[in-house]
Amino acid sequence: MYDNVVQPESMVRSAKAGPEYGVGVYRDITEWAADTPGWAQGLGELVTEGGILVFVVLFVIHWWRARTRDNRAMAHALLAPLVVAVVYIVSEIVKVRLHEERPCRDIPGVGPIVSCPEPGDWSFPSNHAVIAAASAMTLLLTWRLVGLLVLPLAVLIALSRVYVGVHYLHDVAAGLLLGALVAPLLLGILAVPGSWAVGRLRGQRGLVPVLGC
C-alpha cells in the first residue's frame, strides 16, 4: 500500500547531484574545523566572506592604472571583471540545473562555523571558488605580478568554503577548475575586439575620465 509513497528523505536525496564520497571528507574537515581556535574560525569567516572584495579592489586599481596606458591595457582592465561576471553566470546556471544540496543541510550531525545558506542556494559548483579562480587568472594574464600574488588567495578562498562548512571539497575543486579554464578563454577571445573598441572610444571627449588617453 505504501510502496509508491515517496518519503521526504528520498526526495532530498533525489535533488542531490553530488557524489557520496564527498560526505566523509566533508565530515573530517568540519570536525577538524570545529576544534580549531576561535581566532582561526574568525579568520576563516573573514576570508570566506571578504576575500572576494580584495579582487574587487584590485580590479579598480587595475582600471585606474590602465588610464595612462595603451589600448590593450585598458581593454584588459575593463574585460577582466566582465569575464569574471560571465563565468559566474555560467556557474550559477550549472548550480540551478544540478540542484546539489548544501552539505550543511543534507548531512545530519554537522556544525558549520557559519550559517548554512538558505534552501534553494545550491552547492555545486562553488560560486566563491569560481569567482576567485576567474579573478586570479584574469589578473595573472593582464597584471602578471599581482596575479602571481593572488593565486594563493584564490585557493584559500575556495578552501575556506569547506572549512566554514558550506561546501563539499568537490564543489570548490570544480569551481576553481571552471574559473581557471573559462576565464582565460573568454579573455583571449575578447581581447582583440576590446582593444579596437577602446581605441575608437578614446577619441570621444566625454569618455576620457573613464578610458584615459
mmCIF file of all heavy atoms in Angstrom, residues 20-70:
data_model
loop_
_atom_site.group_PDB
_atom_site.id
_atom_site.type_symbol
_atom_site.label_atom_id
_atom_site.label_comp_id
_atom_site.label_asym_id
_atom_site.label_seq_id
_atom_site.Cartn_x
_atom_site.Cartn_y
_atom_site.Cartn_z
ATOM 1 N N GLU A 20 28.548 10.645 -3.308
ATOM 2 C CA GLU A 20 28.520 10.320 -1.895
ATOM 3 C C GLU A 20 29.911 10.330 -1.259
ATOM 4 O O GLU A 20 30.044 10.473 -0.049
ATOM 5 C CB GLU A 20 27.871 8.936 -1.701
ATOM 6 C CG GLU A 20 26.382 8.917 -1.997
ATOM 7 C CD GLU A 20 25.599 9.831 -1.061
ATOM 8 O OE1 GLU A 20 25.984 9.983 0.107
ATOM 9 O OE2 GLU A 20 24.598 10.392 -1.512
ATOM 10 N N TYR A 21 30.958 10.159 -2.078
ATOM 11 C CA TYR A 21 32.303 10.118 -1.478
ATOM 12 C C TYR A 21 32.674 11.439 -0.825
ATOM 13 O O TYR A 21 33.577 11.488 0.011
ATOM 14 C CB TYR A 21 33.355 9.744 -2.527
ATOM 15 C CG TYR A 21 33.555 10.744 -3.633
ATOM 16 C CD1 TYR A 21 34.254 11.932 -3.429
ATOM 17 C CD2 TYR A 21 33.054 10.501 -4.908
ATOM 18 C CE1 TYR A 21 34.438 12.843 -4.450
ATOM 19 C CE2 TYR A 21 33.236 11.406 -5.940
ATOM 20 C CZ TYR A 21 33.928 12.575 -5.697
ATOM 21 O OH TYR A 21 34.113 13.489 -6.707
ATOM 22 N N GLY A 22 31.998 12.509 -1.174
ATOM 23 C CA GLY A 22 32.328 13.799 -0.583
ATOM 24 C C GLY A 22 31.893 13.938 0.860
ATOM 25 O O GLY A 22 32.386 14.801 1.582
ATOM 26 N N VAL A 23 30.988 13.074 1.312
ATOM 27 C CA VAL A 23 30.440 13.192 2.655
ATOM 28 C C VAL A 23 31.514 12.953 3.715
ATOM 29 O O VAL A 23 31.649 13.710 4.677
ATOM 30 C CB VAL A 23 29.269 12.209 2.856
ATOM 31 C CG1 VAL A 23 28.799 12.227 4.306
ATOM 32 C CG2 VAL A 23 28.113 12.564 1.919
ATOM 33 N N GLY A 24 32.301 11.879 3.561
ATOM 34 C CA GLY A 24 33.328 11.557 4.542
ATOM 35 C C GLY A 24 34.378 12.643 4.657
ATOM 36 O O GLY A 24 34.786 13.011 5.772
ATOM 37 N N VAL A 25 34.806 13.167 3.513
ATOM 38 C CA VAL A 25 35.806 14.244 3.510
ATOM 39 C C VAL A 25 35.236 15.486 4.179
ATOM 40 O O VAL A 25 35.913 16.154 4.973
ATOM 41 C CB VAL A 25 36.257 14.565 2.069
ATOM 42 C CG1 VAL A 25 37.210 15.749 2.049
ATOM 43 C CG2 VAL A 25 36.911 13.343 1.429
ATOM 44 N N TYR A 26 33.990 15.789 3.871
ATOM 45 C CA TYR A 26 33.342 16.956 4.471
ATOM 46 C C TYR A 26 33.262 16.820 5.983
ATOM 47 O O TYR A 26 33.550 17.765 6.726
ATOM 48 C CB TYR A 26 31.943 17.131 3.873
ATOM 49 C CG TYR A 26 31.130 18.218 4.542
ATOM 50 C CD1 TYR A 26 31.308 19.552 4.194
ATOM 51 C CD2 TYR A 26 30.200 17.909 5.535
ATOM 52 C CE1 TYR A 26 30.569 20.552 4.807
ATOM 53 C CE2 TYR A 26 29.468 18.905 6.152
ATOM 54 C CZ TYR A 26 29.655 20.223 5.786
ATOM 55 O OH TYR A 26 28.931 21.218 6.405
ATOM 56 N N ARG A 27 32.864 15.636 6.466
ATOM 57 C CA ARG A 27 32.795 15.418 7.917
ATOM 58 C C ARG A 27 34.162 15.594 8.569
ATOM 59 O O ARG A 27 34.281 16.225 9.623
ATOM 60 C CB ARG A 27 32.260 14.014 8.211
ATOM 61 C CG ARG A 27 30.756 13.872 8.101
ATOM 62 C CD ARG A 27 30.309 12.524 8.655
ATOM 63 N NE ARG A 27 28.875 12.361 8.593
ATOM 64 C CZ ARG A 27 28.031 12.855 9.481
ATOM 65 N NH1 ARG A 27 28.500 13.563 10.505
ATOM 66 N NH2 ARG A 27 26.733 12.656 9.371
ATOM 67 N N ASP A 28 35.189 15.033 7.951
ATOM 68 C CA ASP A 28 36.538 15.140 8.522
ATOM 69 C C ASP A 28 36.965 16.597 8.648
ATOM 70 O O ASP A 28 37.516 17.011 9.678
ATOM 71 C CB ASP A 28 37.543 14.379 7.644
ATOM 72 C CG ASP A 28 37.372 12.869 7.725
ATOM 73 O OD1 ASP A 28 36.733 12.402 8.685
ATOM 74 O OD2 ASP A 28 37.864 12.171 6.813
ATOM 75 N N ILE A 29 36.706 17.381 7.599
ATOM 76 C CA ILE A 29 37.144 18.775 7.597
ATOM 77 C C ILE A 29 36.350 19.602 8.601
ATOM 78 O O ILE A 29 36.923 20.399 9.359
ATOM 79 C CB ILE A 29 37.027 19.376 6.177
ATOM 80 C CG1 ILE A 29 38.016 18.692 5.238
ATOM 81 C CG2 ILE A 29 37.276 20.889 6.209
ATOM 82 C CD1 ILE A 29 37.895 19.121 3.795
ATOM 83 N N THR A 30 35.039 19.422 8.632
ATOM 84 C CA THR A 30 34.221 20.232 9.538
ATOM 85 C C THR A 30 34.465 19.853 11.003
ATOM 86 O O THR A 30 34.409 20.721 11.877
ATOM 87 C CB THR A 30 32.729 20.095 9.197
ATOM 88 O OG1 THR A 30 32.368 18.705 9.115
ATOM 89 C CG2 THR A 30 32.407 20.770 7.875
ATOM 90 N N GLU A 31 34.703 18.577 11.268
ATOM 91 C CA GLU A 31 35.018 18.172 12.643
ATOM 92 C C GLU A 31 36.354 18.753 13.084
ATOM 93 O O GLU A 31 36.510 19.205 14.225
ATOM 94 C CB GLU A 31 35.037 16.646 12.744
ATOM 95 C CG GLU A 31 33.649 16.022 12.664
ATOM 96 C CD GLU A 31 33.692 14.508 12.618
ATOM 97 O OE1 GLU A 31 34.818 13.943 12.716
ATOM 98 O OE2 GLU A 31 32.625 13.875 12.486
ATOM 99 N N TRP A 32 37.322 18.762 12.170
ATOM 100 C CA TRP A 32 38.614 19.384 12.478
ATOM 101 C C TRP A 32 38.442 20.884 12.686
ATOM 102 O O TRP A 32 38.993 21.467 13.623
ATOM 103 C CB TRP A 32 39.607 19.114 11.347
ATOM 104 C CG TRP A 32 40.810 19.995 11.403
ATOM 105 C CD1 TRP A 32 41.867 19.914 12.265
ATOM 106 C CD2 TRP A 32 41.063 21.130 10.561
ATOM 107 N NE1 TRP A 32 42.772 20.916 12.011
ATOM 108 C CE2 TRP A 32 42.302 21.675 10.974
ATOM 109 C CE3 TRP A 32 40.384 21.724 9.497
ATOM 110 C CZ2 TRP A 32 42.858 22.798 10.359
ATOM 111 C CZ3 TRP A 32 40.937 22.832 8.893
ATOM 112 C CH2 TRP A 32 42.153 23.361 9.323
ATOM 113 N N ALA A 33 37.651 21.532 11.807
ATOM 114 C CA ALA A 33 37.430 22.982 11.894
ATOM 115 C C ALA A 33 36.774 23.358 13.210
ATOM 116 O O ALA A 33 37.085 24.398 13.805
ATOM 117 C CB ALA A 33 36.586 23.460 10.716
ATOM 118 N N ALA A 34 35.861 22.513 13.695
ATOM 119 C CA ALA A 34 35.158 22.805 14.948
ATOM 120 C C ALA A 34 36.107 22.814 16.141
ATOM 121 O O ALA A 34 35.818 23.462 17.157
ATOM 122 C CB ALA A 34 34.052 21.785 15.170
ATOM 123 N N ASP A 35 37.226 22.117 16.026
ATOM 124 C CA ASP A 35 38.198 22.048 17.119
ATOM 125 C C ASP A 35 39.296 23.098 17.014
ATOM 126 O O ASP A 35 40.164 23.177 17.895
ATOM 127 C CB ASP A 35 38.845 20.655 17.160
ATOM 128 C CG ASP A 35 37.855 19.580 17.578
ATOM 129 O OD1 ASP A 35 36.902 19.915 18.303
ATOM 130 O OD2 ASP A 35 38.041 18.412 17.175
ATOM 131 N N THR A 36 39.295 23.882 15.939
ATOM 132 C CA THR A 36 40.321 24.912 15.785
ATOM 133 C C THR A 36 40.015 26.096 16.705
ATOM 134 O O THR A 36 38.865 26.302 17.104
ATOM 135 C CB THR A 36 40.416 25.394 14.321
ATOM 136 O OG1 THR A 36 39.119 25.823 13.883
ATOM 137 C CG2 THR A 36 40.902 24.271 13.405
ATOM 138 N N PRO A 37 41.042 26.901 17.050
ATOM 139 C CA PRO A 37 40.812 28.041 17.953
ATOM 140 C C PRO A 37 39.821 29.050 17.379
ATOM 141 O O PRO A 37 39.618 29.125 16.159
ATOM 142 C CB PRO A 37 42.217 28.659 18.079
ATOM 143 C CG PRO A 37 43.158 27.583 17.671
ATOM 144 C CD PRO A 37 42.442 26.744 16.657
ATOM 145 N N GLY A 38 39.235 29.831 18.257
ATOM 146 C CA GLY A 38 38.263 30.833 17.840
ATOM 147 C C GLY A 38 38.823 31.832 16.853
ATOM 148 O O GLY A 38 38.127 32.248 15.918
ATOM 149 N N TRP A 39 40.092 32.224 17.042
ATOM 150 C CA TRP A 39 40.685 33.201 16.121
ATOM 151 C C TRP A 39 40.799 32.616 14.715
ATOM 152 O O TRP A 39 40.631 33.338 13.722
ATOM 153 C CB TRP A 39 42.047 33.665 16.622
ATOM 154 C CG TRP A 39 43.114 32.592 16.660
ATOM 155 C CD1 TRP A 39 43.505 31.854 17.740
ATOM 156 C CD2 TRP A 39 43.931 32.160 15.562
ATOM 157 N NE1 TRP A 39 44.505 30.975 17.390
ATOM 158 C CE2 TRP A 39 44.790 31.144 16.059
ATOM 159 C CE3 TRP A 39 44.022 32.530 14.227
ATOM 160 C CZ2 TRP A 39 45.722 30.486 15.248
ATOM 161 C CZ3 TRP A 39 44.941 31.872 13.408
ATOM 162 C CH2 TRP A 39 45.786 30.865 13.921
ATOM 163 N N ALA A 40 41.082 31.299 14.624
ATOM 164 C CA ALA A 40 41.189 30.658 13.311
ATOM 165 C C ALA A 40 39.824 30.597 12.632
ATOM 166 O O ALA A 40 39.705 30.818 11.418
ATOM 167 C CB ALA A 40 41.774 29.259 13.456
ATOM 168 N N GLN A 41 38.793 30.315 13.407
ATOM 169 C CA GLN A 41 37.449 30.295 12.841
ATOM 170 C C GLN A 41 37.017 31.686 12.384
ATOM 171 O O GLN A 41 36.388 31.844 11.332
ATOM 172 C CB GLN A 41 36.462 29.736 13.872
ATOM 173 C CG GLN A 41 36.730 28.290 14.236
ATOM 174 C CD GLN A 41 35.720 27.740 15.223
ATOM 175 O OE1 GLN A 41 34.668 28.344 15.462
ATOM 176 N NE2 GLN A 41 36.022 26.586 15.815
ATOM 177 N N GLY A 42 37.386 32.689 13.177
ATOM 178 C CA GLY A 42 37.081 34.066 12.779
ATOM 179 C C GLY A 42 37.800 34.451 11.507
ATOM 180 O O GLY A 42 37.241 35.127 10.634
ATOM 181 N N LEU A 43 39.058 33.999 11.375
ATOM 182 C CA LEU A 43 39.822 34.277 10.159
ATOM 183 C C LEU A 43 39.197 33.567 8.968
ATOM 184 O O LEU A 43 39.134 34.126 7.859
ATOM 185 C CB LEU A 43 41.268 33.831 10.349
ATOM 186 C CG LEU A 43 42.225 34.093 9.177
ATOM 187 C CD1 LEU A 43 42.310 35.581 8.872
ATOM 188 C CD2 LEU A 43 43.611 33.524 9.484
ATOM 189 N N GLY A 44 38.724 32.351 9.209
ATOM 190 C CA GLY A 44 38.056 31.619 8.134
ATOM 191 C C GLY A 44 36.816 32.345 7.645
ATOM 192 O O GLY A 44 36.565 32.435 6.437
ATOM 193 N N GLU A 45 36.033 32.878 8.573
ATOM 194 C CA GLU A 45 34.849 33.658 8.199
ATOM 195 C C GLU A 45 35.241 34.906 7.418
ATOM 196 O O GLU A 45 34.589 35.273 6.434
ATOM 197 C CB GLU A 45 34.071 34.061 9.443
ATOM 198 C CG GLU A 45 33.349 32.933 10.142
ATOM 199 C CD GLU A 45 32.439 33.437 11.248
ATOM 200 O OE1 GLU A 45 31.562 34.279 10.943
ATOM 201 O OE2 GLU A 45 32.617 33.030 12.401
ATOM 202 N N LEU A 46 36.311 35.573 7.851
ATOM 203 C CA LEU A 46 36.762 36.788 7.176
ATOM 204 C C LEU A 46 37.180 36.493 5.746
ATOM 205 O O LEU A 46 36.815 37.223 4.808
ATOM 206 C CB LEU A 46 37.923 37.411 7.952
ATOM 207 C CG LEU A 46 38.552 38.666 7.349
ATOM 208 C CD1 LEU A 46 37.534 39.795 7.310
ATOM 209 C CD2 LEU A 46 39.787 39.086 8.147
ATOM 210 N N VAL A 47 37.952 35.424 5.563
ATOM 211 C CA VAL A 47 38.429 35.066 4.225
ATOM 212 C C VAL A 47 37.274 34.671 3.325
ATOM 213 O O VAL A 47 37.178 35.105 2.170
ATOM 214 C CB VAL A 47 39.458 33.918 4.308
ATOM 215 C CG1 VAL A 47 39.787 33.391 2.912
ATOM 216 C CG2 VAL A 47 40.727 34.383 4.996
ATOM 217 N N THR A 48 36.355 33.848 3.844
ATOM 218 C CA THR A 48 35.267 33.347 3.008
ATOM 219 C C THR A 48 34.278 34.443 2.620
ATOM 220 O O THR A 48 33.681 34.400 1.544
ATOM 221 C CB THR A 48 34.549 32.179 3.718
ATOM 222 O OG1 THR A 48 33.863 31.397 2.746
ATOM 223 C CG2 THR A 48 33.564 32.663 4.769
ATOM 224 N N GLU A 49 34.096 35.435 3.496
ATOM 225 C CA GLU A 49 33.134 36.500 3.205
ATOM 226 C C GLU A 49 33.783 37.726 2.562
ATOM 227 O O GLU A 49 33.155 38.417 1.765
ATOM 228 C CB GLU A 49 32.420 36.934 4.492
ATOM 229 C CG GLU A 49 31.600 35.836 5.143
ATOM 230 C CD GLU A 49 30.484 35.313 4.253
ATOM 231 O OE1 GLU A 49 30.042 36.056 3.350
ATOM 232 O OE2 GLU A 49 30.061 34.169 4.461
ATOM 233 N N GLY A 50 35.041 38.007 2.928
ATOM 234 C CA GLY A 50 35.669 39.233 2.443
ATOM 235 C C GLY A 50 36.757 39.060 1.412
ATOM 236 O O GLY A 50 37.223 40.045 0.832
ATOM 237 N N GLY A 51 37.151 37.806 1.169
ATOM 238 C CA GLY A 51 38.250 37.585 0.228
ATOM 239 C C GLY A 51 37.968 38.104 -1.171
ATOM 240 O O GLY A 51 38.852 38.644 -1.843
ATOM 241 N N ILE A 52 36.719 37.958 -1.606
ATOM 242 C CA ILE A 52 36.347 38.413 -2.955
ATOM 243 C C ILE A 52 36.515 39.929 -3.083
ATOM 244 O O ILE A 52 36.827 40.446 -4.171
ATOM 245 C CB ILE A 52 34.897 38.010 -3.281
ATOM 246 C CG1 ILE A 52 34.746 36.484 -3.255
ATOM 247 C CG2 ILE A 52 34.465 38.559 -4.623
ATOM 248 C CD1 ILE A 52 35.580 35.765 -4.279
ATOM 249 N N LEU A 53 36.328 40.658 -1.985
ATOM 250 C CA LEU A 53 36.467 42.121 -2.031
ATOM 251 C C LEU A 53 37.877 42.539 -2.400
ATOM 252 O O LEU A 53 38.079 43.616 -2.979
ATOM 253 C CB LEU A 53 36.068 42.720 -0.679
ATOM 254 C CG LEU A 53 34.603 42.561 -0.270
ATOM 255 C CD1 LEU A 53 34.365 43.175 1.102
ATOM 256 C CD2 LEU A 53 33.684 43.203 -1.309
ATOM 257 N N VAL A 54 38.862 41.719 -2.063
ATOM 258 C CA VAL A 54 40.248 42.020 -2.445
ATOM 259 C C VAL A 54 40.357 42.093 -3.956
ATOM 260 O O VAL A 54 41.005 42.999 -4.510
ATOM 261 C CB VAL A 54 41.210 40.953 -1.882
ATOM 262 C CG1 VAL A 54 42.637 41.190 -2.396
ATOM 263 C CG2 VAL A 54 41.185 40.955 -0.358
ATOM 264 N N PHE A 55 39.711 41.164 -4.642
ATOM 265 C CA PHE A 55 39.753 41.176 -6.106
ATOM 266 C C PHE A 55 39.013 42.384 -6.668
ATOM 267 O O PHE A 55 39.437 42.961 -7.681
ATOM 268 C CB PHE A 55 39.154 39.881 -6.654
ATOM 269 C CG PHE A 55 40.010 38.675 -6.429
ATOM 270 C CD1 PHE A 55 39.637 37.711 -5.508
ATOM 271 C CD2 PHE A 55 41.187 38.505 -7.122
ATOM 272 C CE1 PHE A 55 40.429 36.596 -5.293
ATOM 273 C CE2 PHE A 55 41.996 37.399 -6.922
ATOM 274 C CZ PHE A 55 41.615 36.438 -6.005
ATOM 275 N N VAL A 56 37.927 42.777 -6.043
ATOM 276 C CA VAL A 56 37.195 43.969 -6.493
ATOM 277 C C VAL A 56 38.102 45.197 -6.426
ATOM 278 O O VAL A 56 38.178 45.987 -7.379
ATOM 279 C CB VAL A 56 35.932 44.188 -5.639
ATOM 280 C CG1 VAL A 56 35.266 45.513 -6.002
ATOM 281 C CG2 VAL A 56 34.950 43.030 -5.821
ATOM 282 N N VAL A 57 38.803 45.349 -5.305
ATOM 283 C CA VAL A 57 39.722 46.489 -5.145
ATOM 284 C C VAL A 57 40.830 46.431 -6.183
ATOM 285 O O VAL A 57 41.189 47.454 -6.795
ATOM 286 C CB VAL A 57 40.313 46.500 -3.716
ATOM 287 C CG1 VAL A 57 41.413 47.541 -3.602
ATOM 288 C CG2 VAL A 57 39.215 46.764 -2.688
ATOM 289 N N LEU A 58 41.373 45.250 -6.424
ATOM 290 C CA LEU A 58 42.453 45.114 -7.404
ATOM 291 C C LEU A 58 41.974 45.438 -8.816
ATOM 292 O O LEU A 58 42.712 46.049 -9.606
ATOM 293 C CB LEU A 58 43.024 43.696 -7.361
ATOM 294 C CG LEU A 58 43.865 43.360 -6.125
ATOM 295 C CD1 LEU A 58 44.243 41.887 -6.128
ATOM 296 C CD2 LEU A 58 45.116 44.232 -6.063
ATOM 297 N N PHE A 59 40.743 45.074 -9.148
ATOM 298 C CA PHE A 59 40.206 45.409 -10.468
ATOM 299 C C PHE A 59 40.056 46.923 -10.631
ATOM 300 O O PHE A 59 40.301 47.461 -11.724
ATOM 301 C CB PHE A 59 38.856 44.726 -10.694
ATOM 302 C CG PHE A 59 38.960 43.268 -11.055
ATOM 303 C CD1 PHE A 59 38.083 42.348 -10.504
ATOM 304 C CD2 PHE A 59 39.928 42.824 -11.940
ATOM 305 C CE1 PHE A 59 38.171 41.002 -10.836
ATOM 306 C CE2 PHE A 59 40.032 41.486 -12.276
ATOM 307 C CZ PHE A 59 39.149 40.568 -11.718
ATOM 308 N N VAL A 60 39.652 47.610 -9.571
ATOM 309 C CA VAL A 60 39.538 49.073 -9.635
ATOM 310 C C VAL A 60 40.914 49.704 -9.835
ATOM 311 O O VAL A 60 41.088 50.612 -10.663
ATOM 312 C CB VAL A 60 38.860 49.616 -8.352
ATOM 313 C CG1 VAL A 60 38.921 51.143 -8.330
ATOM 314 C CG2 VAL A 60 37.418 49.138 -8.261
ATOM 315 N N ILE A 61 41.906 49.232 -9.087
ATOM 316 C CA ILE A 61 43.273 49.748 -9.239
ATOM 317 C C ILE A 61 43.800 49.448 -10.642
ATOM 318 O O ILE A 61 44.467 50.293 -11.265
ATOM 319 C CB ILE A 61 44.200 49.136 -8.170
ATOM 320 C CG1 ILE A 61 43.753 49.566 -6.772
ATOM 321 C CG2 ILE A 61 45.653 49.535 -8.412
ATOM 322 C CD1 ILE A 61 44.509 48.870 -5.647
ATOM 323 N N HIS A 62 43.501 48.262 -11.132
ATOM 324 C CA HIS A 62 43.928 47.856 -12.476
ATOM 325 C C HIS A 62 43.371 48.810 -13.525
ATOM 326 O O HIS A 62 44.088 49.245 -14.444
ATOM 327 C CB HIS A 62 43.429 46.428 -12.715
ATOM 328 C CG HIS A 62 44.017 45.756 -13.902
ATOM 329 N ND1 HIS A 62 45.192 46.173 -14.507
ATOM 330 C CD2 HIS A 62 43.601 44.676 -14.614
ATOM 331 C CE1 HIS A 62 45.469 45.382 -15.530
ATOM 332 N NE2 HIS A 62 44.515 44.470 -15.620
ATOM 333 N N TRP A 63 42.087 49.142 -13.389
ATOM 334 C CA TRP A 63 41.471 50.089 -14.333
ATOM 335 C C TRP A 63 42.116 51.465 -14.221
ATOM 336 O O TRP A 63 42.410 52.106 -15.234
ATOM 337 C CB TRP A 63 39.974 50.189 -14.044
ATOM 338 C CG TRP A 63 39.358 51.452 -14.587
ATOM 339 C CD1 TRP A 63 39.080 51.719 -15.888
ATOM 340 C CD2 TRP A 63 39.012 52.621 -13.843
ATOM 341 N NE1 TRP A 63 38.563 52.996 -16.008
ATOM 342 C CE2 TRP A 63 38.506 53.567 -14.764
ATOM 343 C CE3 TRP A 63 39.062 52.955 -12.499
ATOM 344 C CZ2 TRP A 63 38.069 54.824 -14.366
ATOM 345 C CZ3 TRP A 63 38.615 54.202 -12.101
ATOM 346 C CH2 TRP A 63 38.129 55.115 -13.031
ATOM 347 N N TRP A 64 42.364 51.935 -13.004
ATOM 348 C CA TRP A 64 42.949 53.257 -12.817
ATOM 349 C C TRP A 64 44.341 53.352 -13.450
ATOM 350 O O TRP A 64 44.670 54.347 -14.091
ATOM 351 C CB TRP A 64 43.011 53.591 -11.329
ATOM 352 C CG TRP A 64 43.479 54.979 -11.042
ATOM 353 C CD1 TRP A 64 44.732 55.391 -10.679
ATOM 354 C CD2 TRP A 64 42.692 56.186 -11.141
ATOM 355 N NE1 TRP A 64 44.790 56.743 -10.524
ATOM 356 C CE2 TRP A 64 43.552 57.267 -10.804
ATOM 357 C CE3 TRP A 64 41.371 56.428 -11.458
ATOM 358 C CZ2 TRP A 64 43.108 58.580 -10.792
ATOM 359 C CZ3 TRP A 64 40.932 57.747 -11.446
ATOM 360 C CH2 TRP A 64 41.799 58.798 -11.117
ATOM 361 N N ARG A 65 45.141 52.316 -13.286
ATOM 362 C CA ARG A 65 46.483 52.277 -13.884
ATOM 363 C C ARG A 65 46.395 52.299 -15.400
ATOM 364 O O ARG A 65 47.230 52.909 -16.077
ATOM 365 C CB ARG A 65 47.237 51.016 -13.457
ATOM 366 C CG ARG A 65 47.639 50.967 -11.998
ATOM 367 C CD ARG A 65 48.281 49.634 -11.658
ATOM 368 N NE ARG A 65 49.592 49.474 -12.290
ATOM 369 C CZ ARG A 65 49.851 48.639 -13.280
ATOM 370 N NH1 ARG A 65 48.885 47.890 -13.800
ATOM 371 N NH2 ARG A 65 51.074 48.551 -13.783
ATOM 372 N N ALA A 66 45.400 51.630 -15.966
ATOM 373 C CA ALA A 66 45.284 51.497 -17.414
ATOM 374 C C ALA A 66 44.892 52.799 -18.094
ATOM 375 O O ALA A 66 45.042 52.921 -19.318
ATOM 376 C CB ALA A 66 44.265 50.414 -17.749
ATOM 377 N N ARG A 67 44.421 53.781 -17.356
ATOM 378 C CA ARG A 67 44.001 55.052 -17.952
ATOM 379 C C ARG A 67 45.155 55.776 -18.622
ATOM 380 O O ARG A 67 44.934 56.596 -19.514
ATOM 381 C CB ARG A 67 43.370 55.955 -16.880
ATOM 382 C CG ARG A 67 42.037 55.419 -16.353
ATOM 383 C CD ARG A 67 41.512 56.190 -15.152
ATOM 384 N NE ARG A 67 41.102 57.534 -15.534
ATOM 385 C CZ ARG A 67 41.780 58.641 -15.249
ATOM 386 N NH1 ARG A 67 42.933 58.566 -14.591
ATOM 387 N NH2 ARG A 67 41.307 59.805 -15.614
ATOM 388 N N THR A 68 46.374 55.490 -18.198
ATOM 389 C CA THR A 68 47.543 56.143 -18.809
ATOM 390 C C THR A 68 48.355 55.167 -19.667
ATOM 391 O O THR A 68 49.474 55.484 -20.061
ATOM 392 C CB THR A 68 48.463 56.722 -17.714
ATOM 393 O OG1 THR A 68 48.866 55.667 -16.822
ATOM 394 C CG2 THR A 68 47.732 57.802 -16.925
ATOM 395 N N ARG A 69 47.775 54.012 -19.966
ATOM 396 C CA ARG A 69 48.477 53.012 -20.742
ATOM 397 C C ARG A 69 47.820 52.833 -22.107
ATOM 398 O O ARG A 69 46.872 53.553 -22.453
ATOM 399 C CB ARG A 69 48.538 51.700 -19.960
ATOM 400 C CG ARG A 69 49.284 51.874 -18.618
ATOM 401 C CD ARG A 69 49.112 50.667 -17.727
ATOM 402 N NE ARG A 69 49.814 49.505 -18.253
ATOM 403 C CZ ARG A 69 51.085 49.228 -17.980
ATOM 404 N NH1 ARG A 69 51.796 50.032 -17.201
ATOM 405 N NH2 ARG A 69 51.658 48.153 -18.473
ATOM 406 N N ASP A 70 48.296 51.863 -22.879
ATOM 407 C CA ASP A 70 47.803 51.709 -24.257
ATOM 408 C C ASP A 70 46.405 51.072 -24.284
ATOM 409 O O ASP A 70 45.842 50.691 -23.254
ATOM 410 C CB ASP A 70 48.793 50.901 -25.098
ATOM 411 C CG ASP A 70 49.021 49.492 -24.544
ATOM 412 O OD1 ASP A 70 48.148 48.972 -23.831
ATOM 413 O OD2 ASP A 70 50.092 48.911 -24.827
#
